[in-house]
Amino acid sequence: MVHGYHPGVEDAEIYLPGIKKALNPALYPHNSAFFASHARMTLFPSLIAGSIRISNLPVDWALFLWQWFSIFLLLLGCWHLGRLTFRDALARWGSVALIAALLTIPVAGTALYIMDEYLSTRSLSTPAVLFILINAIERKFARALLWIIFTVLIHPLMAVFGVAYVVLFLWMNRRQPETLSSSRLEATSALLLFPLGLFPPITDAYREVLTTRPYFFLREWRWYEWLGIFAPLALLGLIRWLARSQDLPVLEAMCSASVVSGLVFFCVSLIITIPQRLANFAELQPMRGLHLIYILLFVFLGGLVAQWVLRDHIWRWAVLFLPLSSGMWYAQRQLFPATPHVEWPGAKPKNDWVQAFLWIRQNTPREAYFALDPDYMALAGEDQHGFRAIAERSRLADVVKDSGAVTMFPALAETWRQQVRAQRRWKDFQLSDFPGLQQKFGVDWVVLQRPGVMGLPCPYQNNAVLVCRLE
């Protein structure tokens, strides 16, 4: 209720089509490589699709329940971290409460939240990384290894960040020979996650794609995003000092590992993103290591505030968390102003673009191939809803989301550039421009903003959008 729920927005445009194609292989006969490349690298689509087949639930309800379950797992992990780092039971609940209030806080300039407002691979990999860390701290290495395997199968890159943190934590706190040997084993496992052919030479097309992702490069970060790197590390240094004075050894050790980890990822990011010749390594996005550090920071802050300030006074908890939650709710409403805060499963959509996408799903053939503004997800009123995710139809490549897929899979770069350039003048398209798209790519439908283009038959239209057929 604080952070909202939007099952088809942002990166759901990459992950949700993979689930739907696993359920129905006849979907997306054209241009599916822009999401299928991700789908082949993770167990996520098969896991969610399998649960839908077994439960026989509608897709919308299954996604909703998985989102709830993912948040529960995250909060459970935070509770266990609070249990390990604090003696006071109230502190554990402070850790959980602060994370719950800040699920959608941005992680510096990484384009990540702690938890997305929709189901994605990160929804499962985030709590899984916490359980890797929890079991490693408790020296339950067999369980930690199982969580590592699960995380690698769901989100290999986030698994690397989690394992790297665990290795660093164990190395900095080595006391017994078996601990060091375990850390070496995990370090070796992490290195195996990087196949040698992952970083091909940069082509002109791939360089053009990288320009759509300025957050890959530290030199493009704004001052407040740089503050988002070092302010958390400074706070963790302060918490480390407090932990030592209060004789909280696990908290002290985790703060030390967090500071060192953050600095290491920062240095790696400088090395691979400042020199132009190393831009092909930018897809690693080492600053995404801050994701775990932010979670740990808020777990620690929540525990300390609950133990020392809030205590067992209900009114103090209300004074802190009601304004904080209200502020987070307001921020989310600004991100999706033309969409209900919670897009309940089965509810009638109120967003004009979503209405058009659902009409397409229900009234066009599965083999239909669409073209629409390549920047459509960034348009006012569209609220970042994904066409493939909702309409369940193929479309030409776009600038906003398909470019992200290309950064991870450079072989798609030339195809992406051809399709995006063919649509570059979209806002000035006239009736005579559409046959070129039809002949070159085979598209037979278009989605236009009002007022549209005279001469096209448009069987659906609403206050913002027209769906038109090319004949």
Side-chain angles (χ1 to χ4, degrees):
M1 300 306 294
V2 171
H3 305 287
Y5 175 66
H6 306 285
V9 303
E10 298 178 347
D11 282 357
E13 175 69 345
I14 294 176
Y15 296 117
L16 189 49
I19 296 170
K20 293 186 173 183
K21 191 167 181 64
L23 290 169
N24 184 358
L27 293 176
Y28 311 109
H30 312 286
N31 233 24
S32 61
F34 288 102
F35 67 84
S37 297
H38 274 82
R40 286 193 293 268
M41 295 287 290
T42 171
L43 187 65
F44 178 75
S46 299
L47 174 64
I48 305 303
S51 72
I52 293 171
R53 290 194 188 97
I54 293 171
S55 65
N56 205 30
L57 284 171
V59 173
D60 290 345
W61 275 104
L63 296 174
F64 184 71
L65 294 176
W66 270 105
Q67 178 76 351
W68 274 90
F69 180 60
S70 300
I71 294 173
F72 168 76
L73 285 181
L74 174 65
L75 298 182
L76 179 63
C78 292
W79 187 89
H80 279 293
L81 285 173
R83 173 180 59 81
L84 293 172
T85 50
F86 297 101
R87 300 187 189 94
D88 192 330
L90 274 178
R92 305 168 192 175
W93 292 107
S95 299
V96 171
L98 189 58
I99 287 289
L102 297 174
L103 287 181
T104 54
I105 194 167
V107 178
T110 61
L112 293 179
Y113 301 135
I114 289 177
M115 179 70 80
D116 296 313
E117 315 91 332
Y118 53 89
L119 186 67
S120 72
T121 53
R122 290 186 298 272
S123 303
L124 296 178
S125 67
T126 299
V129 166
L130 296 189
F131 283 108
I132 294 172
L133 178 55
I134 291 162
N135 283 284
I137 292 172
E138 295 182 323
R139 301 299 190 265
K140 298 175 180 177
F141 295 113
R143 292 185 185 180
L145 182 59
L146 291 176
W147 280 109
I148 290 172
I149 294 171
F150 174 78
T151 311
V152 169
L153 292 174
I154 296 297
H155 198 316
L157 184 58
M158 299 307 285
V160 170
F161 295 131
V163 171
Y165 181 94
V166 168
V167 170
L168 181 62
F169 175 86
L170 293 175
W171 181 79
M172 292 179 67
N173 296 277
R174 59 193 183 281
R175 294 187 181 89
Q176 301 174 1
E178 63 268 23
T179 299
L180 185 57
S181 63
S182 298
S183 68
R184 285 175 177 167
L185 175 63
E186 291 169 354
T188 302
S189 300
L191 291 174
L192 292 176
L193 297 178
F194 291 97
L196 295 177
L198 192 60
F199 310 106
I202 294 182
T203 63
D204 289 340
Y206 188 64
R207 197 180 302 278
E208 186 175 329
V209 172
L210 289 177
T211 63
T212 70
R213 291 293 184 273
Y215 60 84
F216 278 19
F217 304 95
L218 280 175
R219 64 178 179 271
E220 302 291 340
W221 283 29
R222 299 174 179 86
W223 68 267
Y224 54 85
E225 293 170 331
W226 279 79
L227 184 63
I229 301 172
F230 296 108
L233 300 183
L235 285 172
L236 285 164
L238 176 61
I239 295 171
R240 178 182 178 275
W241 176 80
L242 292 172
R244 175 173 292 184
S245 66
Q246 296 296 311
D247 191 26
L248 297 171
V250 176
L251 179 58
E252 180 186 353
M254 293 186 70
C255 286
S256 298
S258 297
V259 172
V260 174
S261 175
L263 292 175
V264 167
F265 284 127
F266 172 72
C267 292
V268 172
S269 187
L270 282 179
I271 292 170
I272 69 175
T273 64
I274 296 299
Q276 291 286 341
R277 65 182 180 275
L278 297 179
N280 55 333
F281 291 93
E283 65 184 84
L284 284 176
Q285 302 177 67
M287 293 311 297
R288 289 196 166 195
L290 288 174
H291 185 250
L292 175 59
I293 293 172
Y294 267 56
I295 294 173
L296 296 178
L297 171 65
F298 293 127
V299 166
F300 302 157
L301 284 176
L304 291 172
V305 170
Q307 181 174 330
W308 290 355
V309 180
L310 305 181
R311 299 181 182 176
D312 57 353
H313 302 286
I314 295 177
W315 68 269
R316 294 184 184 179
W317 289 73
V319 166
L320 173 61
F321 285 105
L322 286 178
L324 186 59
S325 297
S326 298
M328 295 300 296
W329 175 89
Y330 178 78
Q332 286 300 298
R333 291 307 301 134
Q334 305 315 299
L335 283 178
F336 305 100
T339 304
H341 185 55
V342 177
E343 296 184 66
W344 297 100
K348 184 177 180 181
K350 297 181 180 179
N351 182 283
D352 289 332
W353 287 83
V354 176
Q355 291 174 7
F357 294 167
L358 286 177
W359 183 90
I360 290 169
R361 182 200 299 183
Q362 297 162 3
N363 295 276
T364 63
R366 290 175 181 171
E367 64 273 12
Y369 197 6
F370 280 79
L372 59 165
D373 190 328
D375 291 298
Y376 77 97
M377 291 184 75
L379 295 175
E382 207 278 345
D383 281 3
Q384 304 179 62
H385 287 92
F387 174 86
R388 293 191 191 106
I390 299 172
E392 300 181 1
R393 296 295 181 266
S394 303
R395 63 162 172 78
L396 291 181
D398 79 335
V399 172
V400 179
K401 277 300 150 195
D402 290 341
S403 56
V406 177
T407 62
M408 299 298 294
F409 302 96
L412 298 171
E414 189 57 42
T415 300
W416 176 86
R417 181 165 69 169
Q418 289 178 4
Q419 295 185 12
V420 168
R421 285 185 173 182
Q423 303 169 86
R424 180 166 290 171
R425 294 174 41 254
W426 184 266
K427 291 179 175 59
D428 299 319
F429 264 38
Q430 302 298 320
L431 185 61
S432 59
D433 294 305
F434 292 108
L437 287 181
Q438 192 173 26
Q439 293 168 10
K440 187 171 183 179
F441 301 108
V443 297
D444 46 9
W445 290 81
V446 294
V447 177
L448 304 173
Q449 287 182 274
R450 278 191 173 277
V453 176
M454 293 292 294
L456 283 177
C458 301
Y460 176 85
Q461 53 188 292
N462 60 32
N463 293 329
V465 181
L466 302 94
V467 180
C468 307
R469 185 170 53 250
L470 301 181
E471 297 179 338

